[in-house]
Amino acid sequence: MSQQLPDVQATEPDVRVGLSQVGVTGVEKLVKIAREDKRPIALMADFEVFVDLPQGRKGIDMSRNMEVIDETLEAAVSEPVYQVEEMCGDTAERLLDKHDYTTTATVKMEAELMIQDETPASERSTQGTVDIIASATARENEPTREEIGARVVGMTVCPCSQQMMSETARETLRDLGVGEREVRKFLQAVPQAGHSQRGHATLTVEAAGDPEVDLMDIVDLARDSMSARIYNMAKRPDEDHMTYAAHANAKFVEDCVRSMAEGVVAEFDHLADGVVVTMKQSNDESIHQHNAHAERIAELGTLREEVNEN
């Protein structure tokens, strides 16, 4: 007769400190996004799943918990879903129901999405990638909070270095005998050089309890917050278009976040003031070893007040 092993995870820890999140990362699942009158989009998604742990419990039964997590995720992704944030919310709520010692369950999902694109000048069909970000947090006796967003790549140009190059061009043209009026017209028509960066914009919007938030609207807002969009495939006219567009719209990393805020206020006027918006911009600096970063997390009502002050 086999002896039943003790439930070590249920014993008290040596140090009675509660933990905010305990769980698993790197859980890969196939997720299908349903579309009206079209085949579902298949995504290979990466999940992170956590629950909180009270101070009097040593662990979360990791092996059995992984079985619960796997079963819960399998149930959530077994059918095509229209909104991945709702799938995360459903998973978080199921996990909360199955753990009698937890008060909070969090589910995060990331997946790479292929999008159809068109080059800006040659108008050729191409494809690009964006990262979908979805998450949900379920708490006892509280509405589940869901979030949907995207991380995209674009191009930025530094206004400061551009201004210095413009002054150099102005002085050179004057030395060549070009009149001040012509110099002004030339500099207005031909944006001068500035050091450029590859920019990474992240925009997420809380979606729980509000009308649908369209993921592609978020993607477009994030892409357009930088100096210019970039494309995987580009002919020479496209390269010229992107270079000109970026230098005609030079932006600091801070400007990109503010552009996202302005776009969110304009695009999501149907959402409640209490909706939380997260905006982040990171630029891979081309002439420095460091990178630049800016971000803002705020309720939509606060952003509306600030944007409308201008």
Side-chain angles (χ1 to χ4, degrees):
M1 182 176 178
S2 60
Q3 184 178 3
Q4 186 175 2
L5 295 174
D7 187 357
V8 179
Q9 289 86 350
T11 62
E12 287 204 2
D14 296 333
V15 180
R16 286 177 52 85
V17 173
L19 303 178
S20 302
Q21 291 187 331
V22 181
V24 294
T25 64
V27 180
E28 294 185 340
K29 293 289 180 182
L30 183 67
V31 175
K32 295 178 181 178
I33 300 179
R35 298 183 294 171
E36 293 288 348
D37 302 322
K38 294 181 180 179
R39 289 186 301 177
I41 298 173
L43 302 174
M44 179 55 74
D46 186 274
F47 286 90
E48 296 181 353
V49 182
F50 306 107
V51 295
D52 66 328
L53 189 67
Q55 66 179 112
R57 187 178 177 92
K58 192 175 185 66
I60 64 166
D61 303 316
M62 189 65 76
S63 59
R64 280 178 288 173
N65 192 65
M66 186 58 217
E67 183 178 0
V68 171
I69 290 170
D70 194 69
E71 289 176 353
T72 304
L73 282 176
E74 279 294 324
V77 304
S78 60
E79 297 292 336
V81 296
Y82 283 95
Q83 294 172 278
V84 288
E85 67 273 22
E86 287 188 359
M87 178 199 63
C88 290
D90 179 56
T91 305
E93 290 169 1
R94 294 188 192 201
L95 286 169
L96 194 61
D97 289 341
K98 292 188 177 185
H99 292 78
D100 56 8
Y101 54 82
T102 64
T103 60
T104 305
T106 302
V107 177
K108 300 179 181 180
M109 187 210 84
E110 288 196 17
E112 188 177 70
L113 173 67
M114 296 295 298
I115 60 173
Q116 294 293 325
D117 229 336
E118 185 180 87
T119 56
S122 63
E123 298 181 345
R124 297 168 70 101
S125 295
T126 184
Q127 293 184 348
T129 59
V130 299
D131 292 329
I132 298 175
I133 304 169
S135 66
T137 300
R139 291 187 174 90
E140 281 187 339
N141 304 318
E142 292 184 20
T144 298
R145 302 181 75 94
E146 298 169 355
E147 189 178 59
I148 182 64
R151 184 169 52 247
V152 305
V153 180
M155 177 180 178
T156 63
V157 172
C158 176
C160 186
S161 65
Q162 186 182 59
Q163 184 180 41
M164 290 187 289
M165 292 299 294
S166 294
E167 287 304 311
T168 300
R170 186 186 301 276
E171 293 174 5
T172 301
L173 289 169
R174 284 173 178 167
D175 292 343
L176 292 172
V178 181
E180 182 60 31
R181 181 182 176 187
E182 287 74 18
V183 169
R184 266 198 320 271
K185 291 177 66 176
F186 173 78
L187 292 178
Q188 288 173 355
V190 183
Q192 296 303 291
H195 72 83
S196 60
Q197 296 81 225
R198 177 172 290 184
H200 307 269
T202 302
L203 174 60
T204 62
V205 178
E206 187 181 4
D210 280 295
E212 180 179 347
V213 176
D214 192 304
L215 174 63
M216 294 314 298
D217 288 341
I218 292 177
V219 170
D220 287 337
L221 283 174
R223 293 183 76 187
D224 290 335
S225 68
M226 291 174 273
S227 295
R229 294 188 177 196
I230 62 174
Y231 301 83
N232 275 341
M233 195 279 291
K235 303 293 287 183
R236 286 187 177 182
D238 302 309
E239 293 177 355
D240 179 65
H241 182 283
M242 285 185 279
T243 303
Y244 184 93
H247 284 78
N249 188 32
K251 289 183 176 182
F252 291 123
V253 66
E254 300 93 333
D255 295 322
C256 297
V257 174
R258 291 177 174 129
S259 291
M260 276 189 267
E262 186 177 40
V264 166
V265 168
E267 182 65 36
F268 298 120
D269 57 349
H270 60 286
L271 297 183
D273 283 344
V275 166
V276 177
V277 180
T278 301
M279 302 160 289
K280 299 179 182 181
Q281 179 72 27
S282 295
N283 291 344
D284 301 334
E285 291 282 0
S286 58
I287 64 171
H288 306 293
Q289 290 186 333
H290 60 261
N291 296 323
H293 182 85
E295 65 179 77
R296 176 70 185 279
I297 301 173
E299 291 187 346
L300 187 51
T302 301
L303 293 179
R304 285 180 174 132
E305 291 177 4
E306 294 181 10
V307 169
N308 292 329
E309 285 177 0
N310 300 321

